[in-house]
PDB file of all heavy atoms in Angstrom:
ATOM      1  N   MET A   1      17.344 -31.325  20.344  1.00 87.00           N
ATOM      2  CA  MET A   1      16.267 -31.013  21.237  1.00 87.00           C
ATOM      3  C   MET A   1      15.135 -30.306  20.592  1.00 87.00           C
ATOM      4  O   MET A   1      13.927 -30.556  20.792  1.00 87.00           O
ATOM      5  CB  MET A   1      16.827 -30.226  22.441  1.00 87.00           C
ATOM      6  CG  MET A   1      17.726 -31.098  23.253  1.00 87.00           C
ATOM      7  SD  MET A   1      18.431 -30.081  24.600  1.00 87.00           S
ATOM      8  CE  MET A   1      17.054 -29.441  25.460  1.00 87.00           C
ATOM      9  N   MET A   2      15.433 -29.366  19.691  1.00 87.00           N
ATOM     10  CA  MET A   2      14.463 -28.616  18.955  1.00 87.00           C
ATOM     11  C   MET A   2      13.601 -29.464  18.065  1.00 87.00           C
ATOM     12  O   MET A   2      12.395 -29.300  17.968  1.00 87.00           O
ATOM     13  CB  MET A   2      15.103 -27.439  18.130  1.00 87.00           C
ATOM     14  CG  MET A   2      15.797 -26.408  18.939  1.00 87.00           C
ATOM     15  SD  MET A   2      14.830 -25.569  20.224  1.00 87.00           S
ATOM     16  CE  MET A   2      13.769 -24.732  19.223  1.00 87.00           C
ATOM     17  N   LYS A   3      14.180 -30.493  17.468  1.00 86.00           N
ATOM     18  CA  LYS A   3      13.474 -31.409  16.554  1.00 86.00           C
ATOM     19  C   LYS A   3      12.542 -32.254  17.311  1.00 86.00           C
ATOM     20  O   LYS A   3      11.509 -32.636  16.792  1.00 86.00           O
ATOM     21  CB  LYS A   3      14.490 -32.240  15.768  1.00 86.00           C
ATOM     22  CG  LYS A   3      15.198 -31.458  14.701  1.00 86.00           C
ATOM     23  CD  LYS A   3      16.020 -32.348  13.728  1.00 86.00           C
ATOM     24  CE  LYS A   3      17.146 -33.019  14.497  1.00 86.00           C
ATOM     25  NZ  LYS A   3      18.000 -33.729  13.528  1.00 86.00           N
ATOM     26  N   MET A   4      12.762 -32.518  18.565  1.00 89.00           N
ATOM     27  CA  MET A   4      11.921 -33.459  19.310  1.00 89.00           C
ATOM     28  C   MET A   4      10.820 -32.671  20.044  1.00 89.00           C
ATOM     29  O   MET A   4       9.738 -33.271  20.344  1.00 89.00           O
ATOM     30  CB  MET A   4      12.631 -34.418  20.288  1.00 89.00           C
ATOM     31  CG  MET A   4      12.998 -33.809  21.553  1.00 89.00           C
ATOM     32  SD  MET A   4      13.849 -34.927  22.659  1.00 89.00           S
ATOM     33  CE  MET A   4      14.475 -33.835  23.859  1.00 89.00           C
ATOM     34  N   HIS A   5      10.993 -31.410  20.391  1.00 89.00           N
ATOM     35  CA  HIS A   5      10.030 -30.706  21.219  1.00 89.00           C
ATOM     36  C   HIS A   5       8.664 -30.517  20.553  1.00 89.00           C
ATOM     37  O   HIS A   5       7.732 -30.745  21.147  1.00 89.00           O
ATOM     38  CB  HIS A   5      10.618 -29.394  21.700  1.00 89.00           C
ATOM     39  CG  HIS A   5      11.526 -29.538  22.829  1.00 89.00           C
ATOM     40  ND1 HIS A   5      12.159 -28.569  23.363  1.00 89.00           N
ATOM     41  CD2 HIS A   5      11.848 -30.620  23.533  1.00 89.00           C
ATOM     42  CE1 HIS A   5      12.916 -28.931  24.399  1.00 89.00           C
ATOM     43  NE2 HIS A   5      12.700 -30.285  24.479  1.00 89.00           N
ATOM     44  N   GLY A   6       8.659 -30.168  19.261  1.00 89.00           N
ATOM     45  CA  GLY A   6       7.381 -29.973  18.538  1.00 89.00           C
ATOM     46  C   GLY A   6       6.501 -31.250  18.598  1.00 89.00           C
ATOM     47  O   GLY A   6       5.435 -31.253  19.006  1.00 89.00           O
ATOM     48  N   PRO A   7       7.096 -32.394  18.093  1.00 92.00           N
ATOM     49  CA  PRO A   7       6.379 -33.625  18.153  1.00 92.00           C
ATOM     50  C   PRO A   7       5.993 -34.064  19.568  1.00 92.00           C
ATOM     51  O   PRO A   7       4.907 -34.625  19.817  1.00 92.00           O
ATOM     52  CB  PRO A   7       7.357 -34.673  17.515  1.00 92.00           C
ATOM     53  CG  PRO A   7       8.125 -33.812  16.610  1.00 92.00           C
ATOM     54  CD  PRO A   7       8.316 -32.568  17.322  1.00 92.00           C
ATOM     55  N   MET A   8       6.804 -33.753  20.611  1.00 92.00           N
ATOM     56  CA  MET A   8       6.454 -34.126  21.930  1.00 92.00           C
ATOM     57  C   MET A   8       5.271 -33.290  22.416  1.00 92.00           C
ATOM     58  O   MET A   8       4.404 -33.824  23.108  1.00 92.00           O
ATOM     59  CB  MET A   8       7.631 -33.953  22.916  1.00 92.00           C
ATOM     60  CG  MET A   8       8.627 -35.028  22.806  1.00 92.00           C
ATOM     61  SD  MET A   8      10.084 -34.767  23.845  1.00 92.00           S
ATOM     62  CE  MET A   8       9.241 -34.909  25.526  1.00 92.00           C
ATOM     63  N   MET A   9       5.275 -32.051  22.080  1.00 93.00           N
ATOM     64  CA  MET A   9       4.109 -31.159  22.489  1.00 93.00           C
ATOM     65  C   MET A   9       2.906 -31.601  21.774  1.00 93.00           C
ATOM     66  O   MET A   9       1.810 -31.583  22.375  1.00 93.00           O
ATOM     67  CB  MET A   9       4.448 -29.719  22.123  1.00 93.00           C
ATOM     68  CG  MET A   9       5.472 -29.127  23.078  1.00 93.00           C
ATOM     69  SD  MET A   9       5.681 -27.341  22.973  1.00 93.00           S
ATOM     70  CE  MET A   9       5.895 -27.039  21.260  1.00 93.00           C
ATOM     71  N   LYS A  10       2.996 -31.979  20.523  1.00 92.00           N
ATOM     72  CA  LYS A  10       1.819 -32.476  19.677  1.00 92.00           C
ATOM     73  C   LYS A  10       1.354 -33.746  20.377  1.00 92.00           C
ATOM     74  O   LYS A  10       0.097 -33.852  20.487  1.00 92.00           O
ATOM     75  CB  LYS A  10       2.314 -32.724  18.282  1.00 92.00           C
ATOM     76  CG  LYS A  10       1.088 -33.012  17.352  1.00 92.00           C
ATOM     77  CD  LYS A  10       1.634 -33.103  15.954  1.00 92.00           C
ATOM     78  CE  LYS A  10       0.391 -33.054  14.987  1.00 92.00           C
ATOM     79  NZ  LYS A  10       0.818 -33.022  13.570  1.00 92.00           N
ATOM     80  N   ALA A  11       2.152 -34.657  20.716  1.00 94.00           N
ATOM     81  CA  ALA A  11       1.752 -35.839  21.420  1.00 94.00           C
ATOM     82  C   ALA A  11       1.019 -35.547  22.754  1.00 94.00           C
ATOM     83  O   ALA A  11       0.115 -36.264  23.138  1.00 94.00           O
ATOM     84  CB  ALA A  11       2.873 -36.812  21.669  1.00 94.00           C
ATOM     85  N   ALA A  12       1.465 -34.531  23.431  1.00 94.00           N
ATOM     86  CA  ALA A  12       0.979 -34.161  24.724  1.00 94.00           C
ATOM     87  C   ALA A  12      -0.531 -33.734  24.606  1.00 94.00           C
ATOM     88  O   ALA A  12      -1.286 -33.771  25.527  1.00 94.00           O
ATOM     89  CB  ALA A  12       1.762 -33.102  25.350  1.00 94.00           C
ATOM     90  N   MET A  13      -0.959 -33.364  23.327  1.00 94.00           N
ATOM     91  CA  MET A  13      -2.281 -32.910  23.131  1.00 94.00           C
ATOM     92  C   MET A  13      -3.240 -34.056  22.806  1.00 94.00           C
ATOM     93  O   MET A  13      -4.412 -33.932  22.655  1.00 94.00           O
ATOM     94  CB  MET A  13      -2.300 -31.891  21.976  1.00 94.00           C
ATOM     95  CG  MET A  13      -1.470 -30.612  22.323  1.00 94.00           C
ATOM     96  SD  MET A  13      -1.844 -29.951  23.938  1.00 94.00           S
ATOM     97  CE  MET A  13      -3.535 -29.338  23.653  1.00 94.00           C
ATOM     98  N   ILE A  14      -2.765 -35.293  22.731  1.00 95.00           N
ATOM     99  CA  ILE A  14      -3.583 -36.457  22.450  1.00 95.00           C
ATOM    100  C   ILE A  14      -4.424 -36.785  23.644  1.00 95.00           C
ATOM    101  O   ILE A  14      -3.910 -36.870  24.774  1.00 95.00           O
ATOM    102  CB  ILE A  14      -2.694 -37.690  21.997  1.00 95.00           C
ATOM    103  CG1 ILE A  14      -1.930 -37.374  20.665  1.00 95.00           C
ATOM    104  CG2 ILE A  14      -3.553 -38.922  21.867  1.00 95.00           C
ATOM    105  CD1 ILE A  14      -0.944 -38.370  20.269  1.00 95.00           C
ATOM    106  N   LYS A  15      -5.665 -36.972  23.536  1.00 95.00           N
ATOM    107  CA  LYS A  15      -6.565 -37.165  24.685  1.00 95.00           C
ATOM    108  C   LYS A  15      -6.400 -38.590  25.300  1.00 95.00           C
ATOM    109  O   LYS A  15      -6.512 -38.739  26.507  1.00 95.00           O
ATOM    110  CB  LYS A  15      -7.995 -36.977  24.300  1.00 95.00           C
ATOM    111  CG  LYS A  15      -8.260 -35.484  24.062  1.00 95.00           C
ATOM    112  CD  LYS A  15      -9.778 -35.255  23.720  1.00 95.00           C
ATOM    113  CE  LYS A  15      -9.879 -33.700  23.548  1.00 95.00           C
ATOM    114  NZ  LYS A  15     -11.327 -33.393  23.362  1.00 95.00           N
ATOM    115  N   ASP A  16      -6.092 -39.540  24.467  1.00 96.00           N
ATOM    116  CA  ASP A  16      -5.970 -40.950  25.007  1.00 96.00           C
ATOM    117  C   ASP A  16      -4.649 -41.014  25.712  1.00 96.00           C
ATOM    118  O   ASP A  16      -3.602 -40.775  25.128  1.00 96.00           O
ATOM    119  CB  ASP A  16      -5.962 -41.947  23.868  1.00 96.00           C
ATOM    120  CG  ASP A  16      -5.776 -43.349  24.300  1.00 96.00           C
ATOM    121  OD1 ASP A  16      -4.731 -43.711  24.780  1.00 96.00           O
ATOM    122  OD2 ASP A  16      -6.770 -44.178  24.213  1.00 96.00           O
ATOM    123  N   PRO A  17      -4.655 -41.339  27.036  1.00 96.00           N
ATOM    124  CA  PRO A  17      -3.348 -41.313  27.754  1.00 96.00           C
ATOM    125  C   PRO A  17      -2.312 -42.359  27.269  1.00 96.00           C
ATOM    126  O   PRO A  17      -1.113 -42.058  27.369  1.00 96.00           O
ATOM    127  CB  PRO A  17      -3.829 -41.585  29.273  1.00 96.00           C
ATOM    128  CG  PRO A  17      -5.125 -42.283  29.147  1.00 96.00           C
ATOM    129  CD  PRO A  17      -5.766 -41.749  27.867  1.00 96.00           C
ATOM    130  N   ASP A  18      -2.740 -43.430  26.817  1.00 97.00           N
ATOM    131  CA  ASP A  18      -1.776 -44.468  26.342  1.00 97.00           C
ATOM    132  C   ASP A  18      -1.137 -44.065  25.062  1.00 97.00           C
ATOM    133  O   ASP A  18       0.061 -44.247  24.885  1.00 97.00           O
ATOM    134  CB  ASP A  18      -2.567 -45.816  26.167  1.00 97.00           C
ATOM    135  CG  ASP A  18      -3.170 -46.283  27.534  1.00 97.00           C
ATOM    136  OD1 ASP A  18      -2.460 -46.240  28.545  1.00 97.00           O
ATOM    137  OD2 ASP A  18      -4.267 -46.771  27.506  1.00 97.00           O
ATOM    138  N   LEU A  19      -1.988 -43.490  24.130  1.00 96.00           N
ATOM    139  CA  LEU A  19      -1.470 -42.991  22.886  1.00 96.00           C
ATOM    140  C   LEU A  19      -0.446 -41.822  23.141  1.00 96.00           C
ATOM    141  O   LEU A  19       0.617 -41.715  22.591  1.00 96.00           O
ATOM    142  CB  LEU A  19      -2.490 -42.627  21.897  1.00 96.00           C
ATOM    143  CG  LEU A  19      -3.094 -43.673  20.956  1.00 96.00           C
ATOM    144  CD1 LEU A  19      -4.243 -43.117  20.211  1.00 96.00           C
ATOM    145  CD2 LEU A  19      -2.018 -44.362  20.142  1.00 96.00           C
ATOM    146  N   ALA A  20      -0.905 -40.912  24.072  1.00 96.00           N
ATOM    147  CA  ALA A  20      -0.088 -39.718  24.358  1.00 96.00           C
ATOM    148  C   ALA A  20       1.233 -40.141  24.865  1.00 96.00           C
ATOM    149  O   ALA A  20       2.340 -39.568  24.496  1.00 96.00           O
ATOM    150  CB  ALA A  20      -0.843 -38.831  25.381  1.00 96.00           C
ATOM    151  N   PHE A  21       1.191 -41.125  25.826  1.00 97.00           N
ATOM    152  CA  PHE A  21       2.482 -41.553  26.423  1.00 97.00           C
ATOM    153  C   PHE A  21       3.405 -42.194  25.324  1.00 97.00           C
ATOM    154  O   PHE A  21       4.585 -41.736  25.184  1.00 97.00           O
ATOM    155  CB  PHE A  21       2.204 -42.619  27.432  1.00 97.00           C
ATOM    156  CG  PHE A  21       3.435 -43.410  27.893  1.00 97.00           C
ATOM    157  CD1 PHE A  21       4.360 -42.685  28.744  1.00 97.00           C
ATOM    158  CD2 PHE A  21       3.695 -44.710  27.487  1.00 97.00           C
ATOM    159  CE1 PHE A  21       5.516 -43.447  29.155  1.00 97.00           C
ATOM    160  CE2 PHE A  21       4.820 -45.316  27.878  1.00 97.00           C
ATOM    161  CZ  PHE A  21       5.768 -44.749  28.751  1.00 97.00           C
ATOM    162  N   ASN A  22       2.926 -43.177  24.604  1.00 97.00           N
ATOM    163  CA  ASN A  22       3.711 -43.786  23.600  1.00 97.00           C
ATOM    164  C   ASN A  22       4.227 -42.869  22.536  1.00 97.00           C
ATOM    165  O   ASN A  22       5.415 -42.904  22.096  1.00 97.00           O
ATOM    166  CB  ASN A  22       3.016 -44.940  22.998  1.00 97.00           C
ATOM    167  CG  ASN A  22       2.940 -46.177  23.976  1.00 97.00           C
ATOM    168  OD1 ASN A  22       3.980 -46.861  24.055  1.00 97.00           O
ATOM    169  ND2 ASN A  22       1.808 -46.397  24.590  1.00 97.00           N
ATOM    170  N   CYS A  23       3.261 -41.977  22.067  1.00 96.00           N
ATOM    171  CA  CYS A  23       3.713 -41.081  20.957  1.00 96.00           C
ATOM    172  C   CYS A  23       4.718 -40.065  21.483  1.00 96.00           C
ATOM    173  O   CYS A  23       5.736 -39.802  20.811  1.00 96.00           O
ATOM    174  CB  CYS A  23       2.453 -40.337  20.445  1.00 96.00           C
ATOM    175  SG  CYS A  23       1.356 -41.439  19.595  1.00 96.00           S
ATOM    176  N   GLY A  24       4.506 -39.556  22.692  1.00 96.00           N
ATOM    177  CA  GLY A  24       5.536 -38.673  23.338  1.00 96.00           C
ATOM    178  C   GLY A  24       6.843 -39.272  23.509  1.00 96.00           C
ATOM    179  O   GLY A  24       7.899 -38.670  23.232  1.00 96.00           O
ATOM    180  N   MET A  25       6.830 -40.535  23.934  1.00 96.00           N
ATOM    181  CA  MET A  25       8.093 -41.182  24.194  1.00 96.00           C
ATOM    182  C   MET A  25       8.825 -41.557  22.937  1.00 96.00           C
ATOM    183  O   MET A  25      10.097 -41.620  22.923  1.00 96.00           O
ATOM    184  CB  MET A  25       7.815 -42.451  25.046  1.00 96.00           C
ATOM    185  CG  MET A  25       7.494 -42.150  26.507  1.00 96.00           C
ATOM    186  SD  MET A  25       8.714 -41.132  27.330  1.00 96.00           S
ATOM    187  CE  MET A  25      10.016 -42.228  27.446  1.00 96.00           C
ATOM    188  N   ILE A  26       8.168 -41.812  21.860  1.00 96.00           N
ATOM    189  CA  ILE A  26       8.760 -42.002  20.554  1.00 96.00           C
ATOM    190  C   ILE A  26       9.569 -40.823  20.184  1.00 96.00           C
ATOM    191  O   ILE A  26      10.776 -40.867  19.788  1.00 96.00           O
ATOM    192  CB  ILE A  26       7.788 -42.414  19.447  1.00 96.00           C
ATOM    193  CG1 ILE A  26       7.231 -43.802  19.764  1.00 96.00           C
ATOM    194  CG2 ILE A  26       8.369 -42.300  18.101  1.00 96.00           C
ATOM    195  CD1 ILE A  26       6.013 -44.291  18.904  1.00 96.00           C
ATOM    196  N   ALA A  27       8.947 -39.665  20.240  1.00 95.00           N
ATOM    197  CA  ALA A  27       9.651 -38.429  19.911  1.00 95.00           C
ATOM    198  C   ALA A  27      10.789 -38.114  20.857  1.00 95.00           C
ATOM    199  O   ALA A  27      11.921 -37.785  20.434  1.00 95.00           O
ATOM    200  CB  ALA A  27       8.675 -37.252  19.967  1.00 95.00           C
ATOM    201  N   HIS A  28      10.632 -38.403  22.141  1.00 95.00           N
ATOM    202  CA  HIS A  28      11.711 -38.273  23.112  1.00 95.00           C
ATOM    203  C   HIS A  28      12.901 -39.242  22.846  1.00 95.00           C
ATOM    204  O   HIS A  28      13.983 -38.737  22.858  1.00 95.00           O
ATOM    205  CB  HIS A  28      11.122 -38.551  24.551  1.00 95.00           C
ATOM    206  CG  HIS A  28      12.141 -38.419  25.675  1.00 95.00           C
ATOM    207  ND1 HIS A  28      12.571 -37.193  26.062  1.00 95.00           N
ATOM    208  CD2 HIS A  28      12.601 -39.309  26.476  1.00 95.00           C
ATOM    209  CE1 HIS A  28      13.415 -37.352  27.034  1.00 95.00           C
ATOM    210  NE2 HIS A  28      13.454 -38.631  27.314  1.00 95.00           N
ATOM    211  N   HIS A  29      12.608 -40.435  22.534  1.00 96.00           N
ATOM    212  CA  HIS A  29      13.606 -41.386  22.202  1.00 96.00           C
ATOM    213  C   HIS A  29      14.388 -40.999  20.930  1.00 96.00           C
ATOM    214  O   HIS A  29      15.614 -41.127  20.861  1.00 96.00           O
ATOM    215  CB  HIS A  29      13.098 -42.791  22.053  1.00 96.00           C
ATOM    216  CG  HIS A  29      12.869 -43.451  23.369  1.00 96.00           C
ATOM    217  ND1 HIS A  29      12.513 -42.792  24.542  1.00 96.00           N
ATOM    218  CD2 HIS A  29      12.936 -44.805  23.695  1.00 96.00           C
ATOM    219  CE1 HIS A  29      12.432 -43.693  25.490  1.00 96.00           C
ATOM    220  NE2 HIS A  29      12.632 -44.869  25.010  1.00 96.00           N
ATOM    221  N   GLN A  30      13.652 -40.460  19.976  1.00 95.00           N
ATOM    222  CA  GLN A  30      14.346 -40.042  18.697  1.00 95.00           C
ATOM    223  C   GLN A  30      15.215 -38.911  18.968  1.00 95.00           C
ATOM    224  O   GLN A  30      16.306 -38.759  18.431  1.00 95.00           O
ATOM    225  CB  GLN A  30      13.274 -39.663  17.632  1.00 95.00           C
ATOM    226  CG  GLN A  30      12.583 -40.840  17.079  1.00 95.00           C
ATOM    227  CD  GLN A  30      11.437 -40.509  16.159  1.00 95.00           C
ATOM    228  OE1 GLN A  30      10.950 -39.335  16.141  1.00 95.00           O
ATOM    229  NE2 GLN A  30      11.050 -41.432  15.315  1.00 95.00           N
ATOM    230  N   GLY A  31      14.845 -37.978  19.922  1.00 94.00           N
ATOM    231  CA  GLY A  31      15.739 -36.879  20.252  1.00 94.00           C
ATOM    232  C   GLY A  31      17.018 -37.392  20.993  1.00 94.00           C
ATOM    233  O   GLY A  31      18.081 -36.886  20.813  1.00 94.00           O
ATOM    234  N   ALA A  32      16.802 -38.433  21.858  1.00 95.00           N
ATOM    235  CA  ALA A  32      17.940 -38.981  22.566  1.00 95.00           C
ATOM    236  C   ALA A  32      18.935 -39.616  21.610  1.00 95.00           C
ATOM    237  O   ALA A  32      20.153 -39.497  21.847  1.00 95.00           O
ATOM    238  CB  ALA A  32      17.493 -40.021  23.618  1.00 95.00           C
ATOM    239  N   ILE A  33      18.406 -40.224  20.618  1.00 95.00           N
ATOM    240  CA  ILE A  33      19.306 -40.805  19.547  1.00 95.00           C
ATOM    241  C   ILE A  33      20.027 -39.683  18.857  1.00 95.00           C
ATOM    242  O   ILE A  33      21.286 -39.827  18.628  1.00 95.00           O
ATOM    243  CB  ILE A  33      18.455 -41.714  18.569  1.00 95.00           C
ATOM    244  CG1 ILE A  33      17.969 -42.946  19.214  1.00 95.00           C
ATOM    245  CG2 ILE A  33      19.264 -42.001  17.332  1.00 95.00           C
ATOM    246  CD1 ILE A  33      16.938 -43.660  18.455  1.00 95.00           C
TER     247      ILE A  33
END
């Protein structure tokens, strides 16, 4: 969980909503793995 939270927070700061969604979900999925 700790490894995914930083990248997820970073992705949340992306202004483009489509990029923010996909980038955040990549980090989230990597954490789930």
Side-chain angles (χ1 to χ4, degrees):
M1 291 176 58
M2 297 303 292
K3 288 188 292 188
M4 79 175 169
H5 280 177
M8 283 180 65
M9 290 189 310
K10 190 171 190 176
M13 299 309 294
I14 296 172
K15 290 184 180 187
D16 180 289
D18 300 315
L19 274 176
F21 168 75
N22 284 285
C23 295
M25 289 305 292
I26 288 168
H28 180 68
H29 280 31
Q30 288 174 340
I33 289 169

